[in-house]
Amino acid sequence: MKLEVKKFSFDNLKADAVVVPLYKDHKQTSPLFTDLDRALGKTLQPLLAAAGTDEGKITSTLTATKHGIVRVIFVSLGEKDKVDLEKIRKFGGKLVQYFQCNQLKNNVILSFQYGIQKIMPYEVARAFAEGVLLSNYSFDTFKTDEDA
């Protein structure tokens, strides 16, 4: 699995899925969210009500862009004041499993740092990457063939 952190314009969005982290009782007013909403033809705000903000909930929907159909995945992290590094690790792991089950290869994750004030961005990125890598790890390196 390849993980990249990059800054790009949503106007050139080409992805199988876009992940939008949500927080309970937190309005989606960040510049990142606003730019993505504009690039998707202002379709995100109406979808938010249906997404819900119960911690751990994943809601998926399809929307059209000028580059084709893209899946928008809303993932709730619960109350933003209670988000810690362990929740971020679990978020990364759960997301990888979702991508694998739905055969999504090229995905964009909207930065979830915008709602977190008490944790440094590099700590958030490290915890997320740890969750992704641990969830994606296959324990078969030393496994013997059953035929042997």
Side-chain angles (χ1 to χ4, degrees):
M1 172 171 284
K2 182 178 177 182
L3 272 176
E4 288 182 84
V5 177
K6 18 179 180 177
K7 189 174 183 177
F8 66 96
S9 169
F10 287 118
D11 294 329
N12 301 322
L13 180 66
K14 293 179 185 172
D16 296 330
V18 177
V19 178
V20 180
L22 302 177
Y23 299 100
K24 194 172 197 155
D25 303 326
H26 181 75
K27 297 205 183 277
Q28 304 300 320
T29 57
S30 75
L32 279 174
F33 184 85
T34 305
D35 289 350
L36 177 61
D37 191 28
R38 184 184 42 75
L40 296 177
K42 305 266 184 197
T43 58
L44 290 185
Q45 285 293 350
L47 297 172
L48 279 176
T53 55
D54 294 334
E55 187 174 323
K57 183 176 182 183
I58 296 178
T59 306
S60 176
T61 187
L62 297 175
T63 189
T65 70
K66 64 182 178 182
H67 299 292
I69 303 294
V70 73
R71 181 184 306 249
V72 179
I73 304 167
F74 296 103
V75 181
S76 177
L77 295 169
E79 295 178 33
K80 71 175 184 170
D81 296 335
K82 295 183 180 177
V83 172
D84 58 12
L85 295 176
E86 188 56 33
K87 280 189 182 179
I88 293 168
R89 277 186 202 90
K90 288 179 182 178
F91 167 68
K94 195 171 188 177
L95 214 47
V96 167
Q97 292 170 355
Y98 184 88
F99 291 157
Q100 290 172 339
C101 288
N102 292 283
Q103 299 177 356
L104 301 169
K105 305 265 186 228
N106 184 20
N107 307 293
V108 174
I109 302 169
L110 191 64
S111 173
F112 42 94
Q113 182 65 37
Y114 69 87
I116 304 172
Q117 304 298 324
K118 62 184 179 185
I119 306 173
M120 297 299 294
Y122 72 89
E123 292 177 306
V124 171
R126 186 185 68 224
F128 180 77
E130 287 171 359
V132 166
L133 294 172
L134 288 171
S135 178
N136 198 38
Y137 184 75
S138 177
F139 297 94
D140 60 0
T141 302
F142 299 106
K143 186 176 179 180
T144 58
D145 292 332
E146 291 185 20
D147 296 334

